[in-house]
Amino acid sequence: MKALLFMETDGEKVLGGSLELISAAKALDAEGTALIVGSKTSADTAAALGIPVIFIDAAADCDTLTEILSEMVKEENPDIVLLSNTAMAKDVAPRIAGRMGLGCVSDVIGINKDNGKVIYTRPAYGGTVLEHMQVDGTAVVTVRSGSFSKPEEASKAVVTEKKMEIPAGAIKAKIIDKVKEISEAVNLEEAEVIVSGGRGMGNVENFKLVEELANVLGGVVGATRPPIEDGWISRAHQVGQSGKIVAPKLYIACGISGATQHTSGMSGSNYIVAINKDEEAPIFEIADVSIVGNVNEILPVMIEEMKKVKEEAK
């Protein structure tokens, strides 16, 4: 089985979710080849993980990537094309599938073999059910970040640099300017610790406890939709269906009831701690540790205890 892994970069390094694709390919015992566009440093990083790399020095916009990946699928003829489930991949993957007449499965959280057939598992209906899908022929698959472990270093593989001419007619959209708010630099997808606050925090002053705990733990602040709509924090911090899909090592949910619109975006976390005064809150159904009580009384205690632990560790 051959797998073509598109490894997305931020211009300097490979995104964490893309690195996990190496483990996904290994889980299938597939012969993997990574494709990296526009970042030679990232190509070397991927090769150090033991996977052969094809590097193409080109722009990394959607139209260019669609053209490059389509050509690489023709050349490599893989059984599966893997992409991390990023905003870019959500745009590129269906384009490639449509252009090449391939199957497409998005937001996959599990890949298994059954009697020689590859079965893709993905959440549906806001994460309330899991569906198992099979694709006849080559499949273009986007994989949710956190679904597979990051690979360890291995014997360095070869990096092959290819030249590819992109027809002028292939570029339909041209970026003429970029405006990026400071808040957009929040990297929830790559965070190992996320402390999120919901409506149960009560007000913007109380929400600062969430930010303080995240700071003490060296984590990132997340939020549900209500705090964002009330202006307590920017939309860049939103976790859930209409926000970011995350899978940190530790997720602390503060004053969050656990609506499926939110939990579908964080249920892949390795360890979940939930704090809510309602013992029947749905969030407790997926939590590893459930704390029933007033979040605004519990968080100050947690913050002080975490500070003590950090001091003792010095």
Side-chain angles (χ1 to χ4, degrees):
M1 180 179 228
K2 289 181 64 176
L4 178 64
L5 286 55
F6 171 62
M7 308 194 79
E8 192 173 335
T9 78
D10 62 3
E12 297 179 359
K13 65 180 186 299
V14 182
L15 300 184
S18 290
L19 291 175
E20 294 173 17
L21 300 178
I22 298 175
S23 298
K26 287 182 178 178
L28 290 171
D29 293 323
E31 178 188 341
T33 300
L35 171 65
I36 292 181
V37 178
S39 175
K40 187 63 167 63
T41 302
S42 297
D44 293 333
T45 299
L49 298 172
I51 185 168
V53 177
I54 296 173
F55 170 68
I56 297 175
D57 189 8
D61 60 88
C62 187
D63 289 335
T64 302
L65 291 177
T66 299
E67 190 71 18
I68 289 173
L69 271 163
S70 297
E71 289 302 313
M72 290 308 303
V73 168
K74 290 178 186 177
E75 290 185 20
E76 296 293 313
N77 192 28
D79 299 291
I80 182 172
V81 181
L82 294 174
L83 307 89
S84 182
N85 195 49
T86 63
M88 177 67 79
K90 291 175 186 177
D91 203 348
V92 171
R95 291 191 185 194
I96 300 165
R99 180 180 294 191
M100 307 295 292
L102 310 177
C104 186
V105 188
S106 62
D107 200 22
V108 165
I109 60 174
I111 305 176
N112 298 286
K113 274 187 176 180
D114 184 18
N115 294 324
K117 300 290 186 179
V118 180
I119 307 298
Y120 306 101
T121 300
R122 66 184 297 275
Y125 298 106
T128 55
V129 299
L130 295 177
E131 58 183 10
H132 306 290
M133 306 181 72
Q134 180 183 321
V135 176
D136 292 329
T138 300
V140 181
V141 179
T142 67
V143 180
R144 180 182 291 195
S145 177
S147 299
F148 293 88
S149 61
K150 290 184 174 62
E152 297 180 356
E153 286 195 11
S155 299
K156 187 170 183 179
V158 65
V159 176
T160 303
E161 187 165 353
K162 289 180 68 72
K163 299 291 184 182
M164 188 173 292
E165 294 294 328
I166 308 299
I171 310 302
K172 307 298 184 183
K174 181 180 180 181
I175 298 173
I176 58 175
D177 193 14
K178 290 183 179 180
V179 179
K180 186 173 182 179
E181 296 179 14
I182 294 176
S183 60
E184 291 181 350
V186 176
N187 196 344
L188 284 164
E189 295 98 327
E190 301 285 318
E192 294 191 349
V193 176
I194 297 176
V195 183
S196 280
R199 190 194 303 275
M201 293 307 301
N203 56 53
V204 66
E205 289 301 318
N206 292 338
F207 197 86
K208 290 178 181 177
L209 292 171
V210 173
E211 298 171 352
E212 186 175 355
L213 180 58
N215 184 56
V216 170
L217 295 175
V220 177
V221 178
T224 59
R225 178 178 287 181
I228 290 165
E229 291 183 340
D230 289 343
W232 301 351
I233 196 165
S234 77
R235 193 167 296 277
H237 294 264
Q238 186 172 341
V239 174
Q241 271 184 322
S242 52
K244 305 288 180 63
I245 305 297
V246 301
K249 291 181 179 178
L250 173 63
Y251 190 91
I252 303 178
C254 308
I256 295 173
S257 63
T260 56
Q261 289 87 346
H262 178 73
T263 57
S264 63
M266 46 68 71
S267 57
S269 304
N270 287 358
Y271 202 82
I272 301 171
V273 177
I275 309 168
N276 199 291
K277 64 182 181 181
D278 179 8
E279 62 183 20
E280 300 296 327
I283 192 72
F284 291 145
E285 296 177 10
I286 62 171
D288 297 285
V289 173
S290 302
I291 303 173
V292 180
N294 188 328
V295 67
N296 295 313
E297 295 176 358
I298 293 169
L299 283 186
V301 176
M302 288 182 66
I303 290 167
E304 289 306 312
E305 290 301 316
M306 295 299 176
K307 286 180 178 178
K308 290 178 183 178
V309 170
K310 288 185 71 175
E311 285 297 321
E312 291 172 359
K314 289 182 179 179

